Amino acid sequence: MKLDHNSSKPLHQQAEEILREMIQEEEYRNGKLLPNEVELSKDLNISRNTLRQAINRLVFEGLLIRKKGYGTCVAPQNVMSNARNWMSFTQEMAAMGMKVQNFELHISYKNAPKEAAELFDVPEDRKLLCLERLRGKPELPFVFFISYFNPEIPMSVSEDMSKPLYDILLNNYGIKVKTSKERISAKGASAELAGKLGISEGDPILVRKRFVYDVNNVPIEYNIGYYRADSFSYTIECTNE
């Protein structure tokens, strides 16, 4: 583990990159504590304050957990999302080194919910292509997605939805998504959602609504994700200029 003290990149950023590589190693993902700050700062030839900057960043992102009197370890693998750089669910999972699994997949035509109708400027009784997926990592479904699509997109119920959605839109229809406007709220799980997510009725879930637009600011998708509250965290970074 070596840092370049002559590089224009700050030392804390270099240390952060090394830590990101370290915590991908199986031993640390299985619960092994990271070396203590004294040892690690000596190995990296940086001050403890500089090292602490890097560690604090990963703690803020939810990748590390610091326990007083115990040490620092890798956090349980929740799905992480960052408000600055939005990603699809598949990309979020890939960034965490998780494999995506579909537990349920249904595609049909359904009446547009009010928000979807307003987004696509269609009547509420207009039937839209609706994709419903129960997804997660192997042996743990933790999110139920419902997506409605702009009726101008010529997709149908015969579409092969086993592939990543935004790859389908790009490769089959030349649509490149760019912007996601999101709303996140909390609620108690209904009996139906609880059954799908393996929790009890009334347990907390996070509701994540996405209004997705293409590069021309044309609305493409209205998506609602219902997440187990213990499997999803959302990071917001604000800068005061």
Side-chain angles (χ1 to χ4, degrees):
M1 297 186 295
K2 292 185 179 180
L3 278 65
D4 183 357
H5 287 254
N6 296 316
S7 172
S8 60
K9 181 178 292 187
L11 292 174
H12 70 87
Q13 289 186 10
Q14 295 185 52
E16 180 186 323
E17 291 173 358
I18 288 177
L19 287 173
R20 289 182 187 278
E21 292 180 6
M22 283 180 60
I23 64 177
Q24 293 301 316
E25 296 176 10
E26 186 174 356
E27 58 183 333
Y28 293 115
R29 297 178 81 87
N30 288 336
K32 180 180 177 180
L33 292 176
L34 269 65
N36 64 53
E37 290 185 5
V38 173
E39 179 183 346
L40 195 52
S41 60
K42 183 177 180 181
D43 289 342
L44 294 173
N45 192 26
I46 55 176
S47 70
R48 289 182 64 183
N49 284 338
T50 299
L51 174 63
R52 195 170 290 123
Q53 278 186 270
I55 292 176
N56 286 345
R57 176 70 186 191
L58 300 190
V59 169
F60 170 74
E61 291 184 13
L63 298 178
L64 290 177
I65 295 176
R66 183 190 286 116
K67 299 180 180 180
K68 188 174 182 179
Y70 178 70
T72 303
C73 61
V74 176
Q77 288 183 296
N78 292 350
V79 173
M80 297 290 300
S81 184
N82 190 308
R84 299 179 65 195
N85 299 292
W86 79 278
M87 296 184 289
S88 70
F89 177 75
T90 302
Q91 291 171 328
E92 287 175 339
M93 294 286 280
M96 298 296 295
M98 299 183 194
K99 182 180 179 181
V100 176
Q101 181 168 326
N102 286 325
F103 294 85
E104 293 181 17
L105 193 156
H106 308 285
I107 184 167
S108 61
Y109 286 98
K110 292 189 174 182
N111 289 341
K114 181 178 180 181
E115 287 183 321
E118 291 175 349
L119 179 65
F120 302 131
D121 194 22
V122 298
E124 283 188 47
D125 59 356
R126 173 73 180 269
K127 289 189 178 294
L128 300 178
L129 189 68
C130 176
L131 174 63
E132 299 172 279
R133 292 179 291 180
L134 179 62
R135 313 191 79 189
K137 51 190 176 183
E139 301 181 0
L140 180 62
F142 58 78
V143 58
F144 181 61
F145 287 119
I146 304 176
S147 291
Y148 293 88
F149 301 96
N150 190 323
E152 297 298 317
I153 303 173
M155 293 194 296
S156 71
V157 293
S158 62
E159 198 78 47
D160 179 7
M161 289 295 186
S162 63
K163 302 175 183 178
L165 173 60
Y166 297 148
D167 287 353
I168 294 173
L169 289 172
L170 179 61
N171 297 330
N172 295 1
Y173 303 100
I175 296 172
K176 183 177 182 180
V177 298
K178 180 181 180 182
T179 304
S180 174
K181 299 179 181 179
E182 304 195 7
R183 297 176 188 166
I184 294 181
S185 59
K187 63 182 289 186
S190 65
E192 180 183 5
L193 285 172
K196 290 180 180 295
L197 298 175
I199 56 180
S200 299
E201 182 177 359
D203 279 356
I205 58 173
L206 293 175
V207 183
R208 183 187 194 186
K209 294 183 179 181
R210 277 183 162 179
F211 304 79
V212 181
Y213 300 78
D214 69 5
V215 292
N216 298 311
N217 206 35
V218 174
I220 299 301
E221 177 195 14
Y222 171 75
N223 173 273
I224 307 177
Y226 299 97
Y227 291 80
R228 287 177 53 136
D230 60 358
S231 298
F232 178 74
S233 55
Y234 195 80
T235 301
I236 297 175
E237 180 174 322
C238 302
T239 301
N240 186 15
E241 296 182 352

